[in-house]
Amino acid sequence: MREKLNVLIVGSGGREHALAWKIKQSPLLSRLFVAPGNGGTDEFNVPVRADDVAGLCKFAQRNRCFTLIGPEMPLSLGVVDRLREAGVVAFGPTKEQALLETSKVYAKRFMAENDIPTPSFQVFDDPREAIEFSDSKEGNVVIKADGLASGKGVFVCSNKEEAAKAIHSIQVDKIFGDSGQKVVVEEKIEGKEASLMALCDGKDVVEFGTAVDHKRLLDNNRGPNTGGMGAYSPANTLQSNDVDRCIQKIVKPTVRKTKFSGFLYTGLMITKNGLKVLEFNGRLGDPETQAIIPRLKSDLLSYLFSVSTSVEGIKTAGNLEWSKLVSCCVMMCSEGYPYKVETGYQILGLDRIRSDKPLIFHSGTVKKEGKFYTSGGRVLGVTTLANSLKAAKEGVYSVVSQIEWQGEKHRSDIGGTNWG
Ligand code: GLY
């Protein structure tokens, strides 16, 4: 029997709550910590911010923690490099490997140089040149801020005015600060979307589930892009040979070239000309994780630790086992999200949910004297599992209807009409 492990999960979103929920079930776990966590992970929380790299290293070293990084910000700061220098076993990409997510310019150039299929693009430092180029495409383009923007740095435009406004807000108004020094202006392509997660050890790759995220704020895919309003898994927009094709033609070449280790998220568009990569992320998706993790039957902790510590990595870690059930996760949000939100409202109804075993993953919540209060834009992700997407969708909305707080908002069409 292997020695039990202390685990530190870095982050404070629904993805980290889902990881904590899964890892808590592992027979290999000794103590679990989440830094800084949220109301749902309250019993495990430690007061170290996710961007406090020195604080995280000190805590992980002192408590001998196997460390998993949830969000992109600490990855962009090189937390994995610093943890490893401190002798801590950490799962996630180095700062350089995380560039696949943290710089859209780097990622697009990497794809172009390595024959990874992706929409055509140009990079601009000068907003006037970016607008001129978008005008030449009648504004039918996608504008992306180069750096991190909490999932809000992508603007899908349909006319010259929309494109010019997006470029102006990124490069002139600097709504994302230095992340907007450069923009990518990308060809707008049509198709269905899917997110494919892969677990990578620097050489080898194993699929870690697929999902369809719903990024737009409003029903029928209207309104601004958000961090994600809900997801279902597996992605019925992908055929089984699409998954294999993506692993062989996109993920493996990327991992081998960059020696990427950690979770690699590939955002795909399935077009009539085949798969195209819209984005890479150096981490699991949120809310995709809240839909994917409940379908994982294998012991995640044992798998990740074995991949992180054995020389052979994935080759000797064995297969991951997945449930055949379908999951659907709906994000419940504060009024005003993805812009300015008011928080501090008590969340009501959690203690009287009647449905059978829903999973409620907290994002922007705090716990005070046994009660939960809103503390962010995305507040709760409710997930249910069922034999079909239709049943999972019905199940999840019956739970969502039992939870409330002042100004609560959610989409009513997660799971769509494309029921598999
Ligand atoms: N759901 C999109 C993301 O995690 O980036």
Side-chain angles (χ1 to χ4, degrees):
M1 177 75 184
R2 194 185 260 170
E3 193 187 332
K4 292 200 175 208
L5 297 171
N6 288 347
V7 176
L8 171 64
I9 299 173
V10 177
S12 60
R15 166 186 45 216
E16 289 74 38
H17 189 185
L19 287 168
W21 170 82
K22 181 70 185 168
I23 281 174
K24 196 177 138 191
Q25 299 168 41
S26 172
L28 195 57
L29 182 71
S30 174
R31 293 190 69 192
L32 178 59
F33 304 99
V34 186
N38 58 40
T41 57
D42 188 65
E43 60 190 301
F44 309 114
N45 290 353
V46 289
V48 185
R49 286 198 327 266
D51 61 358
D52 176 3
V53 173
L56 293 169
C57 289
K58 199 163 142 192
F59 185 89
Q61 201 177 28
R62 185 177 297 159
N63 293 284
R64 296 163 52 87
C65 292
F66 173 44
T67 303
L68 311 177
I69 322 300
E72 59 278 22
M73 178 55 78
L75 296 172
S76 75
L77 300 173
V79 70
V80 170
D81 314 57
R82 299 288 90 76
L83 285 163
R84 290 191 184 140
E85 280 162 19
V88 172
V89 182
F91 185 76
T94 61
K95 183 174 178 175
E96 198 182 335
Q97 291 159 357
L99 280 172
L100 284 171
E101 168 166 16
T102 57
S103 167
K104 304 300 170 221
V105 171
Y106 171 89
K108 292 294 290 190
R109 288 183 174 150
F110 175 87
M111 289 188 253
E113 282 160 19
N114 291 282
D115 293 326
I116 309 273
T118 190
S120 63
F121 69 99
Q122 295 227 18
V123 174
F124 296 93
D125 294 293
D126 181 341
R128 275 170 315 185
E129 288 176 19
I131 291 173
E132 217 172 275
F133 179 73
S134 305
D135 282 354
S136 75
K137 306 282 175 197
E138 297 302 320
N140 223 359
V141 289
V142 178
I143 311 290
K144 294 180 172 175
D146 178 32
L148 294 181
S150 309
K152 295 165 203 158
V154 176
F155 297 81
V156 182
C157 307
S158 300
N159 55 51
K160 290 182 187 178
E161 290 68 35
E162 277 177 20
K165 195 171 155 206
I167 293 164
H168 200 275
S169 64
I170 296 172
Q171 288 192 295
V172 181
D173 297 341
K174 294 190 179 301
I175 56 171
F176 306 121
D178 286 348
S179 285
Q181 272 176 356
K182 287 185 168 53
V183 291
V184 173
V185 181
E186 194 177 85
E187 168 199 10
K188 192 163 113 181
I189 57 171
E190 302 290 330
K192 289 189 174 166
E193 289 191 36
S195 314
L196 184 144
M197 310 298 142
L199 197 160
C200 315
D201 67 4
K203 307 181 288 291
D204 289 310
V205 165
V206 63
E207 186 212 320
F208 196 75
T210 62
V212 174
D213 184 12
H214 298 57
K215 291 199 177 72
R216 299 291 193 101
L217 178 69
L218 304 170
D219 283 4
N220 299 315
N221 290 332
R222 291 174 304 110
N225 262 343
T226 68
M229 298 298 290
Y232 62 88
S233 173
N236 58 3
T237 47
L238 288 167
Q239 309 296 320
S240 62
N241 57 358
D242 286 336
V243 173
D244 193 49
R245 195 169 296 139
C246 177
I247 295 282
Q248 299 305 333
K249 302 268 182 225
I250 295 169
V251 184
K252 273 194 182 161
T254 301
V255 166
R256 292 198 172 138
K257 186 88 186 181
T258 57
K259 301 189 171 39
F260 187 98
S261 63
F263 288 112
L264 184 64
Y265 166 134
T266 308
L268 291 164
M269 182 78 90
I270 301 103
T271 73
K272 57 181 190 312
N273 299 320
L275 301 178
K276 305 254 177 182
V277 178
L278 298 178
E279 62 173 347
F280 282 127
N281 293 317
R283 52 169 176 84
L284 290 174
D286 186 332
E288 286 93 333
T289 305
Q290 295 92 305
I292 289 173
I293 286 280
R295 298 185 49 247
L296 178 64
K297 288 176 153 180
S298 308
D299 178 358
L300 181 62
L301 175 56
S302 141
Y303 198 90
L304 290 179
F305 191 68
S306 152
V307 166
S308 306
T309 52
S310 84
V311 182
E312 290 291 307
I314 286 167
K315 265 204 191 99
T316 48
N319 291 326
L320 288 168
E321 205 189 332
W322 295 93
S323 162
K324 296 227 177 320
L325 296 177
V326 177
S327 63
C328 186
C329 170
V330 172
M331 292 301 311
M332 301 180 72
C333 301
S334 298
E335 184 156 27
Y337 179 73
Y339 306 116
K340 196 170 172 343
V341 293
E342 266 187 43
T343 59
Y345 296 113
Q346 189 181 346
I347 302 169
L348 303 170
L350 288 171
D351 47 354
R352 53 181 149 85
I353 287 165
R354 286 183 301 275
S355 311
D356 196 25
K357 286 204 207 129
L359 295 163
I360 300 188
F361 297 120
H362 291 230
S363 297
T365 74
V366 286
K367 191 173 181 186
K368 287 185 207 154
E369 292 160 10
K371 295 180 179 138
F372 293 102
Y373 296 86
T374 64
S375 67
R378 291 193 295 176
V379 176
L380 297 175
V382 180
T383 302
T384 59
L385 291 161
N387 283 320
S388 68
L389 181 53
K390 184 173 187 296
K393 181 175 178 180
E394 280 163 8
V396 82
Y397 280 108
S398 106
V399 178
V400 165
S401 69
Q402 296 169 55
I403 303 171
E404 59 184 328
W405 64 84
Q406 190 175 318
E408 186 278 324
K409 294 277 179 296
H410 59 266
R411 273 181 66 160
S412 64
D413 63 350
I414 305 300
T417 49
N418 188 11
W419 286 341

